[in-house]
Amino acid sequence: MGLLSTTLVVPGLHGSGPDHWQTWFERQVPEARRVEQTNWEQPVLARWAEEVRRGIDLAEGAVWIVAHSFGCLAAVAAAAERCDRVAAALLVAPADPDRFSTVGLCRDGDRSHVGVGALLPREPLGFPSLVVASGNDPWAPLTKAAYWANLWGSRLHFLGNAGHINPASGFGPWPEGLALFRSMQETNDGIPLGRLDLRPRACRRTPS
């Protein structure tokens, strides 16, 4: 790619350790920069999204996002407000927003909280995006991934029964994922929102 760009890697809960495919991605993509969180054990959407927004604002050139799990939710919440800077997003195994409240992860079986879905965009994001989902992801049913992909105007890529698409399910080095990412960068076709240089919708703004 001849134009200046930055790839923001956005991990999920606990961060992505040395064996995670996101860490491997960082070694393969020279322009990759990781978005760091103050507390990887406390997934608070507003705080995490603010760090992603800061990463976008400080990035050089067009921004490509590579997110995983809860990081997908933070990335989408942030990037929907910065769509003029975002070229595209690869959203891998997005976590179910109903698993989280505004103050963090909810206990299994706890139905007393309100999930963070209301804080996420419910319209096409304004930039091309690809949701990669698994049929047996413990953090989100495939139906939930498909639901959000549809709202966001994302292309859905079904990876089969691949768990949470993390090292525990065999995804350390992940050449197929890197190929998907490179394909997003190299092609202007096959993405529902059209060519990468078009901005079909205005950026979403949320009240401050």
Side-chain angles (χ1 to χ4, degrees):
M1 296 176 58
L3 298 177
L4 186 66
S5 66
T6 300
T7 298
L8 289 185
V9 175
V10 187
L13 183 63
H14 309 310
S16 293
D19 298 327
H20 200 284
W21 63 264
Q22 285 186 307
T23 304
W24 179 79
F25 258 48
E26 291 175 18
R27 296 194 294 268
Q28 313 305 312
V29 181
E31 70 276 11
R33 304 289 182 270
R34 178 175 294 222
V35 174
E36 296 289 346
Q37 300 294 340
T38 302
N39 188 342
W40 288 111
E41 310 308 312
Q42 190 175 24
V44 175
L45 184 63
R47 294 176 189 166
W48 283 42
E50 181 57 32
E51 292 302 324
V52 179
R53 278 192 291 272
R54 182 177 290 110
I56 294 172
D57 291 343
L58 295 175
E60 295 184 293
V63 176
W64 302 83
I65 292 175
V66 177
H68 179 252
S69 193
F70 185 78
C72 295
L73 309 187
V76 166
E81 300 176 22
R82 298 290 192 274
C83 64
D84 56 328
R85 294 292 317 281
V86 178
L90 178 66
L91 307 170
V92 180
D96 182 354
D98 290 337
R99 297 283 299 273
F100 304 86
S101 75
T102 55
V103 295
L105 180 65
C106 299
R107 296 190 303 271
D108 289 342
D110 181 5
R111 304 299 181 202
S112 64
H113 71 277
V114 177
V116 298
L119 304 178
L120 300 175
R122 291 177 173 268
E123 59 187 5
L125 299 175
F127 50 83
S129 55
L130 176 64
V131 169
V132 181
S134 163
N136 61 343
D137 188 342
W139 282 91
L142 179 60
T143 52
K144 282 290 186 76
Y147 170 79
W148 287 103
N150 182 61
L151 289 181
W152 297 335
S154 305
R155 177 182 166 194
L156 180 66
H157 181 80
F158 176 53
L159 205 60
N161 289 335
H164 195 42
I165 315 179
N166 59 4
S169 52
F171 291 85
W174 185 26
E176 180 186 352
L178 184 61
L180 288 171
F181 176 64
R182 290 304 193 194
S183 178
M184 291 184 69
Q185 291 185 309
E186 293 169 1
T187 184
N188 289 330
D189 298 321
I191 302 291
L193 295 181
R195 295 175 61 87
L196 299 184
D197 57 353
L198 295 182
R199 293 292 178 260
R201 289 180 180 265
C203 292
R204 171 177 180 259
R205 300 295 178 187
T206 56
S208 58

